Amino acid sequence: MCAIFGISGVDESSNLTYLGLHALQHRGQEGTGIVSTHGKEPFVHKERGLVGDVFTASVINSLQGHTAIGHNRYSTAGGNTSENLQPLIMKSSLGWVSIAHNGNLVNATELTKKLEQEGSIFQSTADTEVILHLMAKSKERELTRALIHALNQVIGAYSLLVLNHEYLIAVRDPQGFRPLVMGSHKGRPVFASESTAFDLIGATYEREIEPGEMVIVSLNNNFSVSSIRPLNSALKKRCVFEQVYFARPDSLVYGSTVYHTRKNLGKQLAEEQPALHAEMVIPVPDSGVYAAIGYSEFSNLPFEMGIIRSHYIGRTFIEPRQAIRDFGVKLKLNPVAEIIKGKSIVVVDDSLVRGTTSKKLIQHLRDAGAREVHLRISAPPTAHPCFYGIDTPTKKELLASSNSIEKIRVFVGADSLGYLSLEGLLKVASEKSGEGFCHACFSGDYPCLT
Ligand code: AMP
């Protein structure tokens, strides 16, 4: 998963992009980059690390111009190497072109093979580079038309920002797998993966870029904005996991506030999977908090922060070579013994992937004195890997791919285990956003695979 941000027609475009990327840090922590321009040459800085560490004042000052695009990387296609950091930038007969991508292309391997046979030399292993090569090979000599030519050949998930000396283009694939929103900053256009980036820079949220829509900002024409729909239309397949886990709860995604969606998922979960003799509801922080609030409200059980999360793990300790994941859980989540001692508790989390977190956590809760632990998950079992941009383990590692719910309950050591149904999830997710979701990770129903 990744974050993209772009802004045009403003002073300090790179500084605002830096702030936007900062607000979107949760979407990718491996590396970050900004490409800016004043309508002539590009200025580029990309580096592995967190936004706040990479973009020092002197780096930002070197990124000149009225227009910039930026990217936070979380590798799902291609490895975690510096060549794969985005925005990618390439020179061809079109001049320089830079691109920032969120999503995964499902036919990138076959297109790469074909392009290499035809003489293309790839600089990275990121699927995104395919789009640049297809643009460079296009007979079209204008950025928008070359981009349309390229996008008509790729299949899969892409929310993109494309920049050259003339245009900033924002485009979302016809199925709209990944989010992309548009706003206004002092009357100038701004684009981001999630609206929370606008809050930080004082921009106003306007709307989603629609699936299949391309919004074009002309750098030479007073940053005027136009919208076209040049891609084949398709049924909407917006990633429902953004609502469940990935997006920030203070963001508007697919037109609805993630906080409310998650809280309503918790209510739905309480209706479908009550825990009749439990005494309190405890979230697995941070991502389980909103569903737990909903669960507590619906079931009339008190909400308690019975597990405290440390936010300082990651770079301050040296992981032991063995059982790193288990060690991580202990370091990250600690029960408050006084709250849970002798109690029957409902523990709410948003998802269960490998089961490592739940298994360890439940053991810690029992060690801290919990009498009964009833685990509730505000999504259906994650049984299938994602090919559209979420980093999920292989099918084999996904606990629900080969185990019944009862087997999973025994594995994690819960007294009871209840998941939200797919119908329940889709009902809540579509309340404000309308229908049209990709739920392949839960259902195995893959919208487009080659
Ligand atoms: P696991 O221990 O593998 O079962 O992981 C479950 C935990 O990971 C849950 O608490 C989720 O909030 C979180 N989670 C779910 N999906 C992802 C993801 N794609 N990347 C990082 N964390 C995730």
Side-chain angles (χ1 to χ4, degrees), residues 196-212:
T196 187
F198 299 161
D199 299 342
L200 185 61
I201 64 164
T204 316
Y205 171 84
E206 284 184 346
R207 65 181 182 85
E208 274 196 275
I209 305 289
E210 288 297 319

Side-chain angles (χ1 to χ4, degrees), residues 27 32 45 56 100 110 136 165 173 190 247 253 295 307 396 405 447:
R27 298 183 69 86
T32 182
H45 189 87
T56 59
E110 106 199 28
H165 66 287
D173 69 71
V190 51
V253 166
Y295 196 103
I307 301 165
K396 222 168 82 190
I405 292 178

Side-chain angles (χ1 to χ4, degrees), residues 74 241 245-246 284 287 349-358 390-392:
Y74 178 141
F241 198 62
Y245 168 78
F246 213 84
V284 179
S287 53
D349 203 354
D350 58 88
S351 52
L352 198 153
V353 183
R354 292 182 180 89
T356 331
T357 310
S358 309
I390 300 271
D391 183 31
T392 37

Side-chain angles (χ1 to χ4, degrees), residues 7 48 85 113 130 148-149 169 204-205 231 281 292 305 307 319 322 333 350 355 429 449:
I7 192 162
R48 285 165 75 172
L85 293 179
K113 227 184 256 169
V130 166
I148 295 167
H149 176 83
I169 301 176
T204 316
Y205 171 84
L231 306 171
V281 178
M305 288 297 291
I307 301 165
E319 294 179 355
Q322 296 198 347
L333 301 168
D350 58 88
L449 276 190

Side-chain angles (χ1 to χ4, degrees), residues 269 273-275 295 346-349 374-378 416-418:
L269 178 64
Q273 301 285 349
Y295 196 103
V346 185
V347 174
V348 179
D349 203 354
H374 301 278
L375 182 62
R376 296 292 178 271
I377 305 292
S378 60
S416 74
L417 169 64

Side-chain angles (χ1 to χ4, degrees), residues 4-6 69-70 98-100 159-163 168-170 180 191:
I4 58 175
F5 182 93
I69 61 173
S98 181
I99 187 166
S159 282
L160 298 177
L161 293 173
V162 182
L163 179 67
L168 166 62
I169 301 176
L180 185 59
F191 306 96

